[in-house]
Amino acid sequence: MTTHLVWFRADLRVKDNLALAAACRDRHARVLALFISTPRQWEKHDMAARQAAFMQSHLHSLQHELAEKGIPLLFVEVDDFNASVGAVKEICEEHDVTHLFYNYQYEINERQRDAAVERALPEVTCQGLDDSVMLAPGSVMTGDRQMYKVFTPYKNAFLRRLREDLPECVAAPAVREGGALSDTLKPLTLTYPQQDFDPSLFPATEQAAVERLRAFCRNEVGEYEARRDFPALDATSRLSPCLALGVISPRQCLHRLLAEQPDALDGGAGAVWLNELIWRDFYRHLMTWYPDLCKHRPFIPWTERVQWQSQPEHLQAWQAGRTGYPIVDAAMRQMNNTGWMHNRLRMITASFLVKDLLIDWRIGERYFISQLIDGDLAANNGGWQWAASTGTDAAPYFRIFNPTTQGEKFDKHGEFIRQWLPELAKVPAASLHDPWGWADKQGVSLDYPRPVVDHKQARAATLAAYETARKS
């Protein structure tokens, strides 16, 4: 009898899982599943404690879902990716595995690990699949077979591909011949530090994620374009943690969107949310084409020469939400307290760190990953390099957000700010974005820091630093 092993990584689901479906295609094969915990590797990659707790919850859910299909989930813990190579080899030898199936991860350490596993298993047929994207890397290219460096032409080519042929969603596998497994399953416990997450905000099972996706595409996505930039509104899908760990697939998102909003491919309702899914593929495709993006290097070489400031007190103020700029501080406290931050606020806070405080974007990128329940290297790196004007199709370096006017524009009446900055409760809404301007006129003291920098002066210093780097 042939034995198929499915190696789960960032794809913790049974529906539309390409590796699982491929392993189960032969209904006579014995199918086993494997998850390898690598706490020291996760520590090196700064994985957030809330993301570890989210992973723990979904591993438990996956174990039970697989058991219902008659597939046992083996669990192994080793230090890092190097040690996981030997772990996979041992499992394959112990269980006489003939075929190994896994879904690709596109980060460089993960790709090197997978290559090492294939070299270590010359007698095992290994099959990797492009599961975490809608379209495989290398399938959306320029006419001369280069990777697009600008998003809009990439998006247009991507949409043409989708109109020609939608990627398939595969069903969850049927129950194996031996039937469902016993309910007495051994608990799977990650030793990585964990921090509680709010399951009312983030779906804690695969089925809850699917239900959230359906509800969003049916009831909310039509208003997404008009409402998505206002953090006081509950107007986003909040599915990014599920996408980061593969609890749902981007193809499921695409098909559910088109089932509810059939004109989304042609600019109709849902097109803007689809745009965000395409950005996600774009950053993954870029990472396979330019692996240096995994090595903390900027896409635009001259930006490596920017002379960053080293001011620990400014960094600490930013991390703690104590910069004196209310929209920045409220955003940082939202992330510190929930493990998630609204996308508009990610842009505002990243711009502030880099272009008001002139602190290296890589420090901010690392802090975000250490806090975010939806931590994802490709998307996080892409977003930070966009804000820092160091990446592909990034904001020009001379485009610098004014944190005060950003707050006035996207949280005009301060509902979001008041939620996270209770110390500003007595400040009138009209003055909330410049609380000290009001307090000084009123002769009032606030338990809130004054701005750590003057935006106008900081902007001039940042422009000078970038211009010097560009010309040197």
Side-chain angles (χ1 to χ4, degrees), residues 314-335:
H314 283 178
L315 175 62
Q316 290 164 10
W318 177 82
Q319 289 173 333
R322 302 278 296 168
T323 68
Y325 285 91
I327 194 67
V328 173
D329 294 340
M332 295 301 293
R333 294 190 201 181
Q334 179 189 42
M335 179 173 69

Side-chain angles (χ1 to χ4, degrees), residues 322-325 436-437 439-440 444-446 448-453:
R322 302 278 296 168
T323 68
Y325 285 91
W436 277 106
D440 288 340
V444 174
S445 179
L446 296 175
Y448 182 68
R450 290 182 181 272
V452 293
V453 292

Side-chain angles (χ1 to χ4, degrees), residues 164-183:
E164 291 167 2
D165 187 24
L166 287 178
E168 181 187 5
C169 265
V170 297
V175 178
R176 307 303 293 171
E177 285 184 347
L181 302 180
S182 164
D183 288 336

Side-chain angles (χ1 to χ4, degrees), residues 429-450:
S431 303
L432 203 55
H433 301 284
D434 180 21
W436 277 106
W438 170 83
D440 288 340
K441 287 179 183 176
Q442 300 297 318
V444 174
S445 179
L446 296 175
D447 182 24
Y448 182 68
R450 290 182 181 272

Side-chain angles (χ1 to χ4, degrees), residues 12-13 15 54 57-62 64-65 197 199 202-212 239 242 247-248:
L12 306 182
R13 67 184 186 282
K15 298 181 180 71
F54 195 64
S57 176
H58 283 286
L59 269 175
H60 177 77
S61 175
L62 177 67
H64 284 264
E65 292 276 350
F197 68 94
F202 310 112
T205 66
E206 179 180 350
Q207 186 55 38
V210 170
E211 289 169 3
R212 171 65 188 145
L239 287 169
C242 298
V247 177
I248 55 173

Side-chain angles (χ1 to χ4, degrees), residues 69-88:
K69 305 293 183 185
I71 301 171
L73 177 60
L74 310 175
F75 179 83
V76 177
E77 181 164 285
V78 297
D79 274 353
D80 54 21
F81 287 166
N82 286 336
S84 70
V85 176
V88 173

Side-chain angles (χ1 to χ4, degrees), residues 36 60 119 165 173 185 191 208 269 272 276 312 424:
I36 302 178
H60 177 77
R119 289 194 298 271
D165 187 24
L185 300 177
T191 61
V272 175
E276 297 302 314
L424 298 182

Side-chain angles (χ1 to χ4, degrees), residues 233-445:
L233 303 176
D234 183 15
T236 67
S237 73
R238 286 199 316 274
L239 287 169
S240 52
C242 298
L243 283 163
L245 290 186
V247 177
I248 55 173
S249 78
R251 295 175 303 281
Q252 285 174 290
C253 294
L254 172 65
H255 280 270
R256 176 48 51 186
L257 175 64
L258 294 179
E260 302 290 349
Q261 311 292 343
D263 297 327
L265 285 180
D266 299 305
V272 175
W273 191 62
L274 175 59
N275 211 48
E276 297 302 314
L277 294 173
I278 297 174
W279 268 107
R280 185 177 176 278
D281 264 36
F282 182 52
Y283 286 139
R284 275 171 158 65
H285 288 197
L286 279 168
M287 192 160 278
T288 64
W289 198 257
Y290 301 103
D292 275 1
L293 295 175
C294 300
K295 301 176 182 178
H296 309 294
R297 292 176 185 164
F299 188 84
I300 300 173
W302 67 260
T303 63
E304 194 73 89
R305 299 192 293 271
V306 174
Q307 295 299 302
W308 305 109
Q309 297 292 313
S310 178
Q311 299 202 41
E313 68 279 8
H314 283 178
L315 175 62
Q316 290 164 10
W318 177 82
Q319 289 173 333
R322 302 278 296 168
T323 68
Y325 285 91
I327 194 67
V328 173
D329 294 340
M332 295 301 293
R333 294 190 201 181
Q334 179 189 42
M335 179 173 69
N336 291 339
N337 281 276
T338 70
W340 185 83
M341 188 192 290
H342 186 279
N343 189 56
R344 168 58 57 176
L345 301 180
R346 297 188 195 207
M347 292 188 279
I348 293 171
T349 54
S351 176
F352 186 83
L353 182 76
V354 176
K355 294 183 177 175
D356 280 79
L357 303 183
L358 201 56
I359 291 174
D360 192 333
W361 58 272
R362 286 161 283 214
I363 295 173
E365 178 193 18
R366 183 172 184 177
Y367 185 72
F368 266 33
I369 280 288
S370 76
Q371 298 297 314
L372 288 170
I373 192 171
D374 63 356
D376 174 282
L377 176 60
N380 191 50
N381 178 273
W384 272 95
Q385 293 220 42
W386 182 91
S389 305
T390 63
T392 181
D393 203 17
Y397 73 91
F398 48 80
R399 184 182 298 161
I400 298 177
F401 284 171
N402 180 320
T404 302
T405 56
Q406 286 284 306
E408 291 168 345
K409 183 174 182 181
F410 297 111
D411 192 32
K412 183 177 180 179
H413 302 294
E415 295 101 327
F416 179 79
I417 287 171
R418 290 193 190 284
Q419 180 182 354
W420 295 104
L421 305 182
E423 62 266 45
L424 298 182
K426 63 185 177 184
V427 180
S431 303
L432 203 55
H433 301 284
D434 180 21
W436 277 106
W438 170 83
D440 288 340
K441 287 179 183 176
Q442 300 297 318
V444 174
S445 179

